[in-house]
Amino acid sequence: MRERSGDSPFSEFRLQLRRPRILIVCGWLLIVTGTLAPFNLAHIDELSALFPLDQSRFPHDVHYLVIAASGALRVACGVGLLSGYEWSRFVWVLVSFALAGFDFFAFPPSARILVPSFLLPVLSVYFLFRPAVNDYFVAVSSQNYPDSDSHLDVR
């Protein structure tokens, strides 16, 4: 077995990775919109003209809980995207589809705003699963979990 050079056994795998711009934009958008969720709760009566909560099938408390939980998940997924955690993009896509489904089932057909509700998950899938983003997460995961024998000299 040959001696490894560098400070750690995997020093040759420490590559400088460039995070795709779309990942930076999506991460910061999630963080900003997630931190604005409490302000949406404070002004929900003013927003009732846009979202007719009186026509909802669920009580107002459920809407407050959904807004607060989605805000917290947005911040967590935004930080995860910026930190290079692959789980964050899967969680955000699932959350965005769940929010679209909640909008679909919460309001009657006359009050539904389907295009914006389903546009967010579709755009999330499109941007967070592009080839450059996939390559970035593959490189990050291979950097964090290199093969156990890849640092050895195989003859």
Side-chain angles (χ1 to χ4, degrees):
M1 193 155 93
R2 201 171 128 183
E3 289 282 323
R4 293 179 219 118
S5 61
D7 295 343
S8 76
F10 305 113
S11 62
E12 66 248 20
F13 295 105
R14 302 287 179 212
L15 304 173
Q16 293 296 325
L17 299 175
R18 291 202 61 183
R19 188 179 301 123
R21 279 196 191 122
I22 193 65
L23 204 57
I24 296 169
V25 170
C26 288
W28 279 109
L29 279 174
L30 288 174
I31 291 171
V32 168
T33 58
T35 54
L36 293 178
F39 298 110
N40 289 340
L41 286 174
H43 299 289
I44 199 160
D45 294 330
E46 298 168 8
L47 296 173
S48 63
L50 296 173
F51 303 104
L53 292 179
D54 296 334
Q55 297 178 11
S56 174
R57 296 180 181 145
F58 300 113
H60 291 263
D61 294 338
V62 173
H63 289 278
Y64 300 149
L65 180 65
V66 168
I67 291 172
S70 69
L73 285 170
R74 285 178 189 177
V75 171
C77 289
V79 169
L81 284 175
L82 293 177
S83 299
Y85 293 113
E86 190 171 12
W87 59 262
S88 59
R89 64 182 180 157
F90 294 109
V91 169
W92 172 243
V93 168
L94 288 174
V95 167
S96 62
F97 273 108
L99 291 173
F102 177 78
D103 286 345
F104 183 77
F105 290 113
F107 297 107
S110 62
R112 287 187 190 144
I113 307 172
L114 292 180
V115 173
S117 294
F118 285 100
L119 190 63
L120 178 65
V122 170
L123 287 175
S124 297
V125 168
Y126 175 74
F127 286 121
L128 293 179
F129 290 93
R130 295 186 67 146
V133 177
N134 287 334
D135 294 343
Y136 171 76
F137 281 114
V138 166
V140 167
S141 65
S142 68
Q143 183 177 5
N144 291 335
Y145 305 106
D147 295 340
S148 60
D149 293 338
S150 63
H151 63 278
L152 298 175
D153 212 15
V154 180
R155 293 180 194 204

